[in-house]
Amino acid sequence: MDWTIFWVGATFATYIGIAVWARAGSTNDFYVAGHGVHPVINGMATAADWMSAASFLSMAGLIAILGYGGSVYLMGWTGGYVLLALLLAPFLREFGKFTVPDFVGDRYYSDTARLVAVICALFVSFTYIAGQMSGVGIAFSRFLGVDFNTGIFIGMGIVFVYAVLGGMKGVTYTQVAQYVVLIFAYTVPAIFISLMLTGNPIPQLGFISNVKGEDVSMIQKLSDTLTSLGFAEYTTTNKTTFDVFCITAALMFGTAGLPHVIIRFFTVPRPSDARLSAGWALVFIALLYTVAPAVGAFSRLNVINTVNETTYVAPGEDYAAQAAALEAEGVTPSPAWFTRWEITKLVGFEDKNGDGIMQIRGPNAPDGLANEVTINNDIAVLASPEIAQLPDWVVGLMVAGGLAAALSTAAGLLMVISSAVSHDLCRRTFFKGMSDKSELRVARLAAAGAVMGAGFMGIYSAQLAFVAQVVAFAFGLAAASLFPVILLGIFWKRMNREGAIASMLTGLVPTFIYIWHFKLGAGKDAGPEEWFLGVSPEGIGFVVMILSIIVGVVVALATKAPPKDIQDLVEDIRVPGQRRPHGIADAGMAPAE
């Protein structure tokens, strides 16, 4: 039995069945699931929405290759939820809107501000979704025997069905199912591998336990192995303290400004439930995030142990016969998993010294040999069950989990794109007399178009960086452009439309240009000495965010204060449950004239 086909088929059938059951019948259902989602359910859906391909596929790979330096992703992505729970979620829910641009347009009493917020949301969402679709392509290309691009098109088809049909209502309950799938898929192999390496069934403890049969901790064993091959110690990083701080902060504030995360808190009945949802989301996220460092370390050690100093067996040959022949000569063949993954071009071997033996080496290798093996960071999790020679059903479960992670976040982002086009651009800006039925039709068409755009961006993004790095750029854009106007819009009643527009543009344009220049443009080969203040493209969003806040405040103080009713509204939304006489009490309703 092909367990991969079984798990993927069963989970996809479940997602589509839920979408049919939870079909949206109104814009209220399509955008915010009727404001009727229980906080625990919303917390689980938020966790699935949040734990994307970057978390599931790429984060452990980054930790595996970067060691301590990869911890910035853990700290930034979880810290952002604390900000959300304390500073933003309940107040945004109290405001009672569908989308982030909806909040910006009404809070800053300006269609221009709404339009700029839509542009920011689209930039962030399309950048983020590109990473998700790239992750889908990686999973499909290896395990379903199709090429990378075909894998993306299959993923597009699945997301199309449940996002376009069910809207936020369908997406919410689909994400609950996807969370269950991805958390089992992530933790079950980790438990097996932890038992194999350390004898400890708890990966978080196995990570720091002694290696089975040896008087040395797993983490120390990995560090010793790396330094003996010419790599830096696992517990060090090549990033400066300032860059680590900026990346962590950009991820944290970016989390608090991400439209697809914020929109989830509009689905609960009450503002108090929004804060409760954030708390539950952190619990569900922690179940995976605390395992990620262990998965990364286990994967790095297992890759070295199974590949280094083995004799290469090329793909396309009869692996079993070739391996048996080499073993008969007393030679260790390269592992079967490497041969299978090499077909996807996500791993590779270049025999630089012509000896046919695969050497993994760092830049400071004591024997002077060059590295001959390349392994894409994004396969660290997906390949780990194969590397550890776990049963096929575990391998299949891992694939289903990776697809669940990527597709759940892709669906949430599609809802942002869809609502930005149909609600904020069409109904609230250009066609204010649009009926509810027409808006729902436009929302579905916008979601369909976004699916197509996301797929092609996923194909393109695979050429730029690892999944987690592509996603990190989206966080930088969100931190610099959307977070400042949301924060100031809630906590400073003097913030006006001119300040908001100036702040968003100041955040979006320089951040995008910086990332483009150093990732795609003339500076793509540049190092820290050429970065501004030594800050990497992943961290520049925080630096620009500070500038964005300053510009917004200065422009607001230099221009006319907001109307009195808007200032009163800002005070009201900070008191959850207080009755507001300002005409902005219901999602989708225009402010009183």
Side-chain angles (χ1 to χ4, degrees), residues 253-278:
F253 291 108
T255 297
L258 280 176
H260 80 288
V261 172
I262 291 173
I263 200 174
R264 286 240 52 94
F265 298 107
F266 297 159
T267 65
V268 293
R270 294 173 296 276
S272 59
D273 293 333
R275 181 172 282 130
L276 197 56
S277 291

Side-chain angles (χ1 to χ4, degrees), residues 126 133 152-153 156 160 414 446-458:
F126 270 115
M133 300 313 291
I152 287 182
F153 291 132
M156 286 164 55
F160 175 86
L414 288 172
V451 169
M452 298 298 295
F456 288 109
M457 287 195 69

Side-chain angles (χ1 to χ4, degrees), residues 82-311:
V82 179
L83 287 177
L84 264 174
L86 297 179
L87 293 181
L88 303 184
F91 307 115
L92 288 171
R93 175 61 189 89
E94 178 73 5
F95 197 82
K97 289 293 151 181
F98 280 157
T99 67
V100 171
D102 216 7
F103 166 80
V104 171
D106 284 348
R107 163 60 181 87
Y108 294 110
Y109 50 97
S110 167
D111 283 343
T112 303
R114 187 193 310 276
L115 183 60
V116 175
V118 166
I119 293 170
C120 292
L122 292 178
F123 263 90
V124 170
S125 298
F126 270 115
T127 304
Y128 202 138
I129 206 170
Q132 308 316 305
M133 300 313 291
S134 179
V136 171
I138 289 170
F140 272 124
S141 64
R142 162 63 187 91
F143 292 101
L144 293 186
V146 298
D147 63 39
F148 178 84
N149 293 352
T150 303
I152 287 182
F153 291 132
I154 294 172
M156 286 164 55
I158 299 298
V159 176
F160 175 86
V161 171
Y162 69 79
V164 174
L165 185 66
M168 181 58 79
K169 186 177 180 182
V171 165
T172 295
Y173 294 103
T174 301
Q175 286 174 335
V176 171
Q178 287 167 331
Y179 176 79
V180 174
V181 172
L182 73 88
I183 200 66
F184 272 99
Y186 204 85
T187 54
V188 168
I191 291 169
F192 276 118
I193 297 171
S194 183
L195 275 169
M196 292 171 64
L197 290 178
T198 69
N200 194 320
I202 303 174
Q204 296 93 326
L205 299 179
F207 178 55
I208 55 176
S209 300
N210 283 354
V211 175
K212 189 183 290 186
E214 300 182 35
D215 190 22
V216 60
S217 68
M218 217 292 302
I219 196 70
Q220 187 61 52
K221 172 83 170 181
L222 178 56
S223 282
D224 293 344
T225 301
L226 290 173
T227 53
S228 70
L229 296 175
F231 295 98
E233 285 188 36
Y234 195 68
T235 51
T236 61
T237 179
N238 59 359
K239 296 182 181 295
T240 65
T241 302
F242 184 61
D243 191 28
V244 168
F245 176 80
C246 288
I247 295 173
T248 305
L251 296 174
M252 185 181 298
F253 291 108
T255 297
L258 280 176
H260 80 288
V261 172
I262 291 173
I263 200 174
R264 286 240 52 94
F265 298 107
F266 297 159
T267 65
V268 293
R270 294 173 296 276
S272 59
D273 293 333
R275 181 172 282 130
L276 197 56
S277 291
W280 277 108
L282 271 173
V283 171
F284 292 124
I285 289 168
L287 293 179
L288 186 146
Y289 269 41
T290 55
V291 176
V295 171
F298 295 156
S299 177
R300 186 80 183 274
L301 187 60
N302 275 337
V303 165
I304 293 173
N305 287 342
T306 58
V307 173
N308 190 41
E309 303 298 338
T310 60
T311 300

